[in-house]
Amino acid sequence: METIQEILNFSVGTLTVGNVISAIVIFVICHIVIKYLMGPVERVLDKLKVDMTLRGFLRTVIKVVFNFVAVCIVAESIGIPIASLLAVLGMLGLAVSLSVQGALSNLANGIMLLITKPFKAGDYISAAGIEGTVKEITMLCTKIITVDNKDIFVPNSEIAGGKITNFSSEPLRRVDVVVRAGYNNDIATVKKALTEAVAATANTLSDPEPFVRLSGYKEYAVEYTIRVWAEGANYWGVYFDLLENISKAYAANGVNGAVPGMNVYMQGDK
């Protein structure tokens, strides 16, 4: 018994074997408590339906906080002042934050994007001067695939700091086409041709009702605006098919296009 007591009292400076064993036991208990506490945390994240990327980050942060508290408890048990430990960690944290300031900005903006959810993976967006389909949203950057199949990794700070246009958030999109016809065409005939072009275009919707109206007078031509609605997935098909059908309807109805012209008046000799 005395031998065991001597072993426990053996010290290096102020640190004894007994204190080390006590600290190990406390750390094991803290580890068990942390594992138990993570269960309710997981249930809360499930209830809030947090994005998987953000969920993993929050889980890691919470674990780090719990483990930091455990380290403080263990340090206190072996006689290390917590105030000194906090001061050292504070200085270390400041140095690290200054060295990775840009990454921290992207991280903070990534968290905001995952919380506010202006877009999700699979959406077609325009942001930071890039237009394409969102492939993946990470904590530091967003991966966008352009229409010509280029992978572009955009820092989250650039996306969150600018205007974001989400073309996929609504089920319907409006297709706007502006065309011109010469002044020598009858307005009713042009509108009839454009209405026929709309009717011949597949995947256009009747509700909301298509819009075909004269919308302006230009230097060489009369301008007409066509607005039709389509499902988001059919937008580009409707757009290009409508352009082709307008050309066919113009030809079928004898509508002349807008051709710049000049009238020259010659005055005879006096």
Side-chain angles (χ1 to χ4, degrees), residues 35-147:
K35 190 174 181 180
Y36 174 77
L37 291 176
M38 288 305 295
V41 170
E42 292 287 351
R43 287 193 289 272
V44 170
L45 294 176
D46 284 336
K47 189 175 182 180
L48 295 175
K49 297 180 180 179
V50 178
D51 181 89
M52 293 303 296
T53 303
L54 181 58
R55 178 174 180 159
F57 174 75
L58 291 176
R59 187 190 300 118
T60 302
V61 169
I62 293 170
K63 270 191 175 181
V64 169
V65 171
F66 284 163
N67 281 291
F68 176 74
V69 173
V71 169
C72 290
I73 293 173
V74 172
E76 184 70 19
S77 70
I78 60 178
I80 298 176
I82 296 179
S84 301
L85 181 62
L86 291 175
V88 171
L89 291 175
M91 294 177 62
L92 180 62
L94 178 61
V96 171
S97 64
L98 290 175
S99 63
V100 293
Q101 187 175 2
L104 289 177
S105 176
N106 288 325
L107 177 62
N109 285 290
I111 293 173
M112 291 303 300
L113 289 175
L114 291 171
I115 291 175
T116 58
K117 296 181 179 179
F119 54 83
K120 63 182 184 299
D123 285 352
Y124 188 87
I125 69 167
S126 174
I130 306 297
E131 188 171 313
T133 302
V134 178
K135 181 68 175 180
E136 184 181 7
I137 307 169
T138 68
M139 299 306 299
L140 297 179
C141 65
T142 298
K143 180 180 178 181
I144 298 176
I145 300 181
T146 62
V147 292

Side-chain angles (χ1 to χ4, degrees), residues 217-248:
Y217 294 97
K218 302 301 178 181
E219 186 174 359
Y220 300 112
V222 179
E223 196 170 73
Y224 296 84
T225 297
I226 306 101
R227 296 172 182 165
V228 295
W229 290 85
E231 294 182 2
N234 298 327
Y235 176 87
W236 288 112
V238 169
Y239 178 82
F240 292 117
D241 288 346
L242 181 58
L243 291 180
E244 291 182 4
N245 289 331
I246 288 172
S247 179
K248 294 175 183 178

Side-chain angles (χ1 to χ4, degrees), residues 155-171:
N156 288 331
S157 57
E158 293 187 15
I159 293 180
K163 182 176 69 174
I164 302 172
T165 302
N166 190 337
F167 298 101
S168 302
S169 58
E170 299 297 329

